[in-house]
Amino acid sequence: MPLQPPTIYALASGRPPAAIAIVRVSGPQVPQVLERLCGRLPQPRTATLVTLTSPGTGPIDQAVALWFPAPHSATGEDVAEFQLHGGRAVIAALFAALEKIDGLRPAEPGEFTRRAFENGKLDLTEAEGLDDLIHADTDRQRRQALRHLQGLLGHRAESWRAQIIEAMALIEAGIDFSDEGDVSTELMAPALARVASLRTEIEETLAASAQSERLREGLQVAIAGPPNAGKSTLLNRLARREAAIVSPHAGTTRDIIEVHLDLDGYPVTLIDTAGLRDASDPVEQEGVRRARARAEAADLVLWLDEAESNATPLAGEVPLWRVRNKIDLAGKVGASTGGSDPAFAISAVTGEGVDQLVAALVGFASDYFGGGEAALVSRARHRVLLTETVAALKRAEDRAGQGDEIVAEELRIAIHAVGRLLGRVDVEEILDSIFREFCIGK
Ligand SMILES: Nc1nc2c(ncn2[C@@H]2O[C@H](COP(=O)(O)OP(=O)(O)OP(=O)(O)O)[C@@H](O)[C@H]2O)c(=O)[nH]1
Ligand SMILES: [K+]
Ligand SMILES: [Mg+2]
């Protein structure tokens, strides 16, 4: 018997109990599974009401069964999908029935998508888009993920790769004929012109996507300032829940506290930190150290203070907005000292001025993420590989005088880098392209 991949199954829907649970099965044994549990094969791609029955044990549930014969399925294999009642015991009974069938096993994380990729249903960037779509918290993240799932980066990378392969084929042909005159030079010039325009195009794509990795990860906004300034109070107000402990005791917050906000579709991670001061308590000292490090690594610091101070003990270039808090007490402390005006004046307790602060944050996020709609490169992996591609293309151009072999080698590196972006590295294709384009009659 030829070696066949195991048939895998998993719960595809969320945590039970729920109204409906969806269990997916993928692999060569799917027809057997369907016949065994449903008594027959349902019509392909047609929702069919069945009584799922485990031979020997009895009925499991009334369910809807779907059969997607290979290759027209999500994974490219035979796939069955059961929509059953979403109780824990119901799912457990179906799993017990599946477990009893030889050659079946529970799927590992991502295994369905992995099979889809291996069967050419998606390239790597599309698989990443799928993962991002599942994890998208905000609308803008969803749209970016969908662009990847739709293959916008993948298709473009596919075309870049094909063009580099063509340029390389021209040069390889030149190398083969190098003893027959100056064919090489004639082939080299158009090949290099193609390389140069391609490099520009990839550079432009990278530039347009400068901030979109952040759209996946979220903008980091740290609230910092002296103890008791009201940092945790502000965090709780923006998060609309009691995420951090508030107390009149200076030095309450020690650990870093993060909350995730959806600000007009932009993902923002808001970070509460320990009040910065020369603390004597070693635990608080560590809190202050972490607070400082985290604020300095943020994309924006909200420097919260009760008074109008100019000094901030932060190093680095991080943008900083001064926010004067507790303006509800201003009358009592006579705060109008005529010092430099803070950028914002709020009361974290009454909420006064907080809307203006939030509006400004949305504006900052919108500037920061920029033309996110056009961005295609959303992961460090994409950026690293495309940067490698650009560098190799540049070297190919710069070293053209040093010989065809060197240029060809740099192009090979570029092809490899784009191939890794797509999850596809295949030297055969280069050879195919060479032999297809040039009938050299040898
Ligand atoms: N009146 C008034 N009190 C405030 C305001 N914001 C915070 N407070 C009070 O100030 C005290 C300290 O608030 P916290 O939010 O714990 O201050 P913090 O900056 O997080 O303090 P540490 O974590 O100790 O550095 C609490 O008693 C709050 O109720 C405000 O806008 N107005
Ligand atoms: K406090
Ligand atoms: Mg605090």
Side-chain angles (χ1 to χ4, degrees):
M1 215 176 96
L3 194 67
Q4 51 180 22
T7 295
I8 54 174
Y9 60 90
L11 181 65
S13 53
R15 248 166 93 88
I20 293 170
I22 298 176
V23 171
R24 284 211 293 180
V25 189
S26 178
Q29 273 170 276
V30 159
Q32 261 165 274
V33 169
L34 283 164
E35 276 168 359
R36 186 162 159 149
L37 299 181
C38 310
R40 70 200 142 100
L41 271 183
Q43 281 290 315
R45 293 174 298 281
T46 306
T48 308
L49 188 65
V50 298
T51 303
L52 289 178
T53 307
S54 174
T57 316
I60 298 170
D61 190 16
Q62 276 228 317
V64 169
L66 284 151
W67 182 36
F68 302 96
H72 304 293
S73 72
T75 60
E77 301 178 319
D78 279 330
V79 168
E81 195 178 295
F82 300 110
Q83 302 179 1
L84 55 162
H85 294 105
R88 282 186 237 281
V90 181
I91 298 164
L94 176 57
F95 276 22
L98 292 168
E99 209 167 89
K100 273 196 239 159
I101 305 173
D102 264 356
L104 259 63
R105 65 160 170 79
E108 283 156 23
E111 205 174 2
F112 288 91
T113 314
R114 173 82 198 244
R115 289 189 178 193
F117 167 65
E118 279 165 2
N119 290 323
K121 290 276 164 181
L122 333 132
D123 69 38
L124 254 197
T125 66
E126 289 165 335
E128 287 165 333
L130 184 65
D131 186 49
D132 285 347
L133 191 61
I134 291 168
H135 292 106
D137 286 326
T138 76
D139 203 46
R140 284 173 212 271
Q141 288 176 316
R142 176 186 64 77
R143 286 191 296 223
Q144 176 169 288
L146 195 58
R147 285 200 295 278
H148 279 121
L149 182 58
Q150 289 167 336
L152 289 190
L153 175 63
H155 294 167
R156 192 159 317 171
E158 199 72 72
S159 128
W160 290 334
R161 185 161 170 274
Q163 291 179 60
I164 308 173
I165 289 174
E166 271 173 45
M168 164 121 159
L170 285 167
I171 291 164
E172 298 264 296
I175 293 168
D176 285 351
F177 286 102
S178 57
D179 54 349
E180 297 177 17
D182 58 355
V183 182
S184 174
T185 336
E186 276 169 29
L187 291 170
M188 189 62 110
L192 285 175
R194 211 181 283 188
V195 165
S197 79
L198 209 61
R199 176 175 57 80
T200 312
E201 193 183 325
I202 302 176
E203 280 170 343
E204 283 168 4
T205 304
L206 278 168
S209 305
Q211 302 298 357
S212 60
E213 275 165 52
R214 281 296 196 176
L215 193 52
R216 283 188 68 239
E217 292 158 9
L219 184 73
Q220 309 264 317
V221 177
I223 307 176
N228 264 354
K231 300 179 294 299
S232 302
T233 309
L234 177 62
L235 177 96
N236 290 349
R237 172 167 283 277
L238 294 175
R240 297 198 179 91
R241 65 188 171 93
E242 302 300 308
I245 300 172
V246 166
S247 92
H249 172 79
T252 303
T253 305
R254 271 111 192 260
D255 284 330
I256 304 275
I257 295 167
E258 293 189 2
V259 299
H260 299 282
L261 306 180
D262 175 345
L263 281 189
D264 200 24
Y266 295 110
V268 172
T269 302
L270 194 64
I271 302 153
D272 184 21
T273 60
L276 297 184
R277 67 169 170 183
D278 290 325
S280 50
D281 176 329
V283 180
E284 191 181 346
Q285 277 171 10
E286 175 60 14
V288 168
R289 192 193 65 74
R290 291 181 187 199
R292 182 166 303 184
R294 201 54 198 274
E296 284 166 2
D299 301 310
L300 174 67
V301 171
L302 302 182
W303 182 264
L304 208 63
D305 207 339
E306 278 182 61
E308 295 173 10
S309 71
N310 284 321
T312 72
L314 290 180
E317 309 266 282
V318 51
L320 182 144
W321 291 355
R322 285 169 200 285
V323 181
R324 204 180 110 222
N325 190 28
K326 307 197 187 183
I327 54 169
D328 55 307
L329 298 180
K332 291 175 208 160
V333 295
S336 222
T337 55
S340 70
D341 280 343
F344 298 91
I346 64 162
S347 166
V349 164
T350 68
E352 201 183 337
V354 172
D355 284 350
Q356 286 94 312
L357 181 61
V358 169
L361 280 174
V362 170
F364 184 87
S366 142
D367 287 348
Y368 190 89
F369 292 119
E373 293 301 309
L376 285 181
V377 178
S378 67
R379 289 179 177 240
R381 192 184 79 83
H382 302 159
R383 187 173 38 73
V384 166
L385 287 171
L386 288 179
T387 306
E388 268 177 40
T389 308
V390 165
L393 293 178
K394 183 86 178 64
R395 287 194 305 270
E397 294 167 55
D398 291 348
R399 303 179 69 187
Q402 298 174 28
D404 306 349
E405 296 282 2
I406 288 171
V407 176
E409 181 52 29
E410 296 296 358
L411 293 185
R412 221 169 275 132
I413 292 170
I415 293 164
H416 193 77
V418 186
R420 276 162 62 207
L421 180 74
L422 292 161
R424 181 176 319 142
V425 169
D426 188 354
V427 187
E428 280 308 305
E429 277 188 46
I430 300 173
L431 300 174
D432 285 351
S433 172
I434 292 172
F435 293 131
R436 200 173 45 238
E437 291 211 359
F438 300 91
C439 289
I440 52 178
K442 286 198 189 179

